[in-house]
C-alpha cells in the first residue's frame, strides 16, 4: 500500500463510489449511544479478521476480506487488527500488527501509526502488541466483546482475544444484540453504498442478458458479470458464488458450487436463471434475473415468468413500515398458487392449497432476507424480534421481522420445477388433487424462475434500486437492443 494520499474515503478511484469514513464514525456513534446506558465506563473491543491460509501452503484464500462487524465499525481493510471504542468518551482506538521491516521489500511501504490514523480517521492508533497496556490505562469497568450466533449460518462470531485480556472483566453478552440490531437499519451513508453496488450489479446483469446466447457457457456469463463489477464498478469481490443456471439448472437453488461450476453450455429455447451480486467495500448486492436465451419467451415460459413477476410486484406494492415479513412471504406463495391455477397447472381452491402447504413445493425458499454488509445480513432473529416461524417454507425465512424504515431487503419470489418436490406432491393425495398432472409434466426439466430485487424500506413504502429489465416486454426489448442503458441507469 504505497498510496499515502489519505482522502478520508474508501474508493477504487475513477468514477467509483467514494465511501466517506464518516459512515463508520456514525456507526460507532450509534453504537456508543445505544450502549451508554448501563455500560458507561466500558470499552467495546472487536477483533478484525485474519488471513486464512490455503491449507498448508503459503498462499491465502483470494484477497483478504474484512470481518463484517469490524468493517461496519471501523472500515479498516487490513488483516490482523483490533479496534476499540470507549463508551464514555466515544474515542476510537485502532490496533495494527507490527510488521517486520522486510514487509517494505515485498509488500510496499510500511504505514506508520500516524498514517493509519489519517487513513481511517480514528482517534488513536497503536500496535496490537500494546493493546492490553493501552486499554488498561483507560481503566474500563469491563471490555464488551462480541459473542453471538449468526442465525443464517449457525456459526459464532469470533470473540476478541489477546494476551492480557484475562486481567480485564470481560462482558461478552451485552454487545452482540445491540450491534446486530443496529446493522439492520441502514444509515443514509450506507444506503448510498447499497445503491451504488446495486447499480453496478444491475449493469452487469444487463450485459450478461445480452451475451448469454445458445452456445455460450454459463461460466462465460459469470465471467462477464465479474468483469463488469470489477472493471467498471471497482467491486473486487462478489457477495456470494455466482449462480448461473441455464435450462434445468435454474431449478438447482444453489447451483454454481465447486461440484457444479457453471459449466453447462446454453441451449436454444432455454431460460437462464442468474443470481449474482457485486460487493463494494463490504456492502452487498443480490440480484436474480431470469430470461429466455433466444430473446423471446415461449408461451409457457411467459406464463411462469408472469406468475413470479406478479408475486414480486404484489409484495413490492405491499411493503412498508409496520408490515410483517412473514405475511409478505405468504402473500408471494398465494400469488404463485393463484398464477399456476390461472395457467392451468393447478386446480381447485387456492385457500385449500394453502391449507396443505402446496406453495413450498414450487417455492421452497423464503421470500427474501435482510441485506447489507453481509448478503444474508445479521439481526434476523434477535431476542426482541418475532421468532423463526415453524411451518414448512416459512421456516426458511431469514427474518420474521416487522418492516421498518431504513431496512434493505431482497424480494425474491420464485417458481421452480424441482423433481423430488414434484414427485412428493404427486405422491401425496392431499396435494396431488390440486395438480393437473399432464400440464405440470410439460414444465419438468425446464428449471424455474426467480425475480430478485434489492429494495429499501422508506417512510411510506419501498424503493426498488435494482435497475434491470423486468417485464416480459422489457426483457425482450433489452435483448433485442431496442433499449439502451439510459433507460435503466
Ligand atoms: N444469492 C443468495 C440469495 O439469493 O439469497
Ligand atoms: Mn440471490
Ligand atoms: Mn437473496
Amino acid at each position: 500500500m504505497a498510496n499515502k494520499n489519505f482522502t478520508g474515503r474508501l474508493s477504487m478511484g475513477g468514477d467509483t463510489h467514494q465511501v466517506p469514513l464518516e459512515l463508520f464514525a456514525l456507526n460507532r456513534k450509534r453504537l456508543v449511544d445505544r450502549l451508554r446506558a448501563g455500560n458507561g465506563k466500558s470499552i467495546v473491543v472487536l477483533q478484525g479478521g485474519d488471513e486464512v491460509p490455503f491449507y498448508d501452503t503459503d498462499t491465502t484464500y483470494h484477497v483478504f476480506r474484512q470481518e463484517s462487524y469490524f468493517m461496519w465499525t471501523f472500515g479498516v481493510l487490513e488483516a490482523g487488527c483490533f479496534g476499540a471504542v470507549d463508551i464514555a468518551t466515544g474515542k476510537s482506538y485502532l490496533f495494527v500488527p507490527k510488521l517486520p521491516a522486510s514487509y517494505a521489500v515485498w509488500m510496499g511501504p510500511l504505514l506508520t501509526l500516524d498514517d493509519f490514523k489519517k487513513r481511517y480517521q480514528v482517534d488513536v492508533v497503536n500496535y496490537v502488541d500494546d493493546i492490553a497496556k493501552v486499554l488498561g490505562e483507560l481503566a474500563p469497568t469491563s471490555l464488551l466483546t462480541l459473542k453471538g450466533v449468526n442465525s443464517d449460518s449457525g456459526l459464532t462470531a469470533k470473540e476478541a482475544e489477546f494476551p492480557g485480556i484475562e486481567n480485564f472483566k470481560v462482558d461478552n453478552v451485552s454487545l452482540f444484540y445491540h450491534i446486530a440490531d443496529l446493522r439492520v437499519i441502514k444509515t443514509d451513508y450506507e444506503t448510498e453504498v447499497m445503491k451504488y453496488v446495486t447499480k453496478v450489479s444491475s449493469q452487469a446483469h444487463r450485459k450478461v442478458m445480452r451475451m448469454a446466447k445458445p452456445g455460450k457457457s454459463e461460466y462465460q456469463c459469470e465471467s462477464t458479470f465479474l468483469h463488469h463489477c470489477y472493471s467498471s464498478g471497482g467491486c473486487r469481490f462478489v457477495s456470494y458464488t455466482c449462480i448461473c443456471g441455464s435450462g434445468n439448472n435454474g431449478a438447482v437453488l444453489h447451483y454454481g458450487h465447486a461440484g457444479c461450476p457453471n459449466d453447462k453450455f446454453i441451449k436454444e429455447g432455454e431460460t437462464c436463471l442468474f443470481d449474482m451480486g457485486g460487493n463494494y467495500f463490504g456492502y452487498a448486492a443480490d440480484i436474480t434475473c431470469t430470461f429466455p436465451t433466444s430473446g423471446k419467451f415461449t408461451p409457457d415460459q411467459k406464463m411462469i415468468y408472469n406468475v413470479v413477476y406478479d408475486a414480486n410486484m404484489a409484495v413490492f406494492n405491499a411493503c412498508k413500515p409496520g408490515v410483517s415479513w412473514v405475511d409478505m412471504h405468504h402473500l408471494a406463495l398465494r400469488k404463485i398458487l393463484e398464477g399456476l391455477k390461472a395457467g392451468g397447472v393447478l386446480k381447485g381452491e387456492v385457500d385449500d392449497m394453502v391449507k396443505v402447504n402446496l406453495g413450498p413445493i414450487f417455492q421452497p425458499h423464503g421470500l427474501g432476507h435482510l441485506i447489507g454488509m453481509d448478503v444474508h445480513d445479521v439481526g434476523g432473529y434477535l431476542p426482541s424480534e418475532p421468532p423463526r416461524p415453524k411451518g414448512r417454507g416459512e421456516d426458511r425465512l431469514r427474518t420474521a421481522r416487522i418492516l421498518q424504515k431504513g431496512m434493505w431487503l431482497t424480494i425474491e419470489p420464485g417458481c421452480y420445477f424441482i423433481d423430488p418436490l414434484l414427485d412428493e406432491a404427486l405422491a401425496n393425495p392431499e396435494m396431488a388433487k390440486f395438480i393437473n398432472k399432464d400440464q405440470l409434466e410439460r414444465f419438468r426439466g425446464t428449471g424455474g424462475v426467480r425475480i430478485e430485487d434489492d429494495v429499501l424500506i422508506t417512510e411510506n413504502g419501498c424503493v426498488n434500486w435494482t435497475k434491470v429489465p423486468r417485464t416480459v416486454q422489457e426483457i425482450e426489448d433489452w435483448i433485442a437492443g431496442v433499449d439502451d442503458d439510459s433507460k435503466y441507469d
Side-chain angles (χ1 to χ4, degrees), residues 227-239:
H227 179 68
H228 180 88
C229 285
Y230 194 7
S231 175
S232 298
C235 298
R236 203 172 189 198
F237 300 96
V238 279
S239 301

Side-chain angles (χ1 to χ4, degrees), residues 48-91:
D50 289 313
E51 295 266 18
V52 180
F54 185 66
Y55 301 105
D56 63 338
T57 74
D58 61 352
T59 50
T60 55
Y61 277 97
H62 191 46
V63 181
F64 170 72
R65 191 169 147 193
Q66 188 57 269
E67 190 277 329
S68 299
Y69 283 103
F70 193 80
M71 188 69 190
W72 182 90
T73 312
F74 297 102
V76 168
L77 302 176
E78 289 85 349
C81 298
F82 288 72
V85 188
D86 184 342
I87 293 171
T89 63
K91 268 187 162 183

Side-chain angles (χ1 to χ4, degrees), residues 185-353:
I185 305 296
K186 274 59 184 180
T187 65
D188 291 347
Y189 290 124
E190 291 181 295
T191 275
E192 289 307 310
V193 192
M194 292 296 291
K195 280 161 60 176
Y196 175 75
V197 73
T198 306
K199 178 175 128 181
V200 168
S201 304
S202 297
Q203 290 167 342
H205 268 281
R206 298 201 302 265
K207 280 210 161 152
V208 171
M209 284 172 99
R210 283 208 172 140
M211 56 68 67
K213 304 254 181 261
K216 294 274 187 198
S217 64
E218 296 164 337
Y219 64 81
Q220 286 171 320
C221 302
E222 175 180 19
S223 163
T224 297
F225 183 86
L226 297 174
H227 179 68
H228 180 88
C229 285
Y230 194 7
S231 175
S232 298
C235 298
R236 203 172 189 198
F237 300 96
V238 279
S239 301
Y240 50 93
T241 306
C242 292
I243 298 170
C244 298
S246 60
N248 200 31
N249 292 337
V252 182
L253 296 177
H254 292 168
Y255 186 69
H257 58 83
C260 296
N262 293 326
D263 57 351
K264 176 181 162 297
F265 281 69
I266 296 168
K267 296 201 195 89
E268 197 69 54
E270 290 180 332
T271 51
C272 287
L273 185 161
F274 288 173
D275 183 347
M276 307 180 280
N279 189 285
Y280 192 70
F281 288 105
Y283 286 91
D286 181 5
I287 297 172
T288 308
C289 294
T290 309
F291 56 94
T293 55
S294 69
K296 289 270 178 215
F297 285 89
T298 66
D300 276 352
Q301 288 169 348
K302 191 173 183 168
M303 189 273 281
I304 300 299
Y305 187 88
N306 279 330
V307 166
V308 179
Y309 180 74
D310 289 348
N312 179 298
M313 289 309 294
V315 170
F316 175 74
N317 288 326
C319 276
K320 61 179 181 190
V323 161
S324 153
W325 191 237
V326 181
D327 289 349
M328 294 296 94
H329 174 80
H330 289 295
L331 172 63
L333 289 183
R334 170 171 281 276
K335 295 300 288 184
I336 285 163
L337 294 174
E338 285 173 1
L340 290 175
K341 179 180 168 185
V345 176
L346 300 179
K347 59 188 176 191
E349 293 303 318
V350 171
D351 281 342
D352 296 333
M353 297 178 204

Side-chain angles (χ1 to χ4, degrees), residues 240 275 286-288 368-369 371 375-376 410 412 450 452 454:
Y240 50 93
D275 183 347
D286 181 5
I287 297 172
T288 308
H369 48 86
I371 181 168
V375 60
H376 298 152
T410 67
E412 50 177 306
R450 176 161 67 255
E452 180 174 25
D454 299 347

Side-chain angles (χ1 to χ4, degrees), residues 103-229:
Y103 185 97
V105 175
W106 302 101
M107 308 292 270
L110 285 170
L111 292 191
T112 63
L113 296 181
D114 201 45
D115 288 338
F116 275 108
K117 191 168 158 195
K118 291 198 188 102
R119 184 170 197 205
Y120 293 117
Q121 297 189 350
V122 288
D123 294 307
V124 182
V125 181
N126 284 284
Y127 290 116
V128 169
D129 290 348
D130 296 326
I131 187 168
K133 180 169 147 280
V134 171
L135 295 182
E137 283 165 3
L138 297 172
T141 48
S142 62
L143 301 183
L144 306 186
T145 58
L146 186 71
K147 186 175 182 193
V149 175
N150 182 306
S151 51
D152 292 307
S153 64
L155 301 174
T156 304
K158 181 167 163 41
E159 197 177 342
E161 210 180 315
F162 54 83
I165 196 168
E166 63 278 6
N167 298 322
F168 294 84
K169 179 170 173 259
V170 174
D171 167 359
N172 64 11
V173 176
S174 304
L175 177 60
F176 181 78
Y177 167 76
H178 291 292
I179 193 167
D181 195 45
L182 286 170
R183 280 180 57 184
V184 171
I185 305 296
K186 274 59 184 180
T187 65
D188 291 347
Y189 290 124
E190 291 181 295
T191 275
E192 289 307 310
V193 192
M194 292 296 291
K195 280 161 60 176
Y196 175 75
V197 73
T198 306
K199 178 175 128 181
V200 168
S201 304
S202 297
Q203 290 167 342
H205 268 281
R206 298 201 302 265
K207 280 210 161 152
V208 171
M209 284 172 99
R210 283 208 172 140
M211 56 68 67
K213 304 254 181 261
K216 294 274 187 198
S217 64
E218 296 164 337
Y219 64 81
Q220 286 171 320
C221 302
E222 175 180 19
S223 163
T224 297
F225 183 86
L226 297 174
H227 179 68
H228 180 88
C229 285

Side-chain angles (χ1 to χ4, degrees), residues 355-370:
K355 281 187 197 131
V356 298
N357 232 338
L358 196 59
I361 295 294
F362 297 98
Q363 186 207 287
H365 58 71
L367 170 65
H369 48 86
L370 295 162

Side-chain angles (χ1 to χ4, degrees), residues 1-28:
M1 154 67 206
N3 176 11
K4 290 203 176 187
N5 179 19
F6 305 117
T7 60
R9 289 163 189 273
L10 301 181
S11 145
M12 293 295 271
D15 293 334
T16 62
H17 184 67
Q18 308 227 342
V19 182
L21 293 176
E22 286 87 349
L23 184 156
F24 308 101
L26 179 57
N27 287 347
R28 292 193 294 273

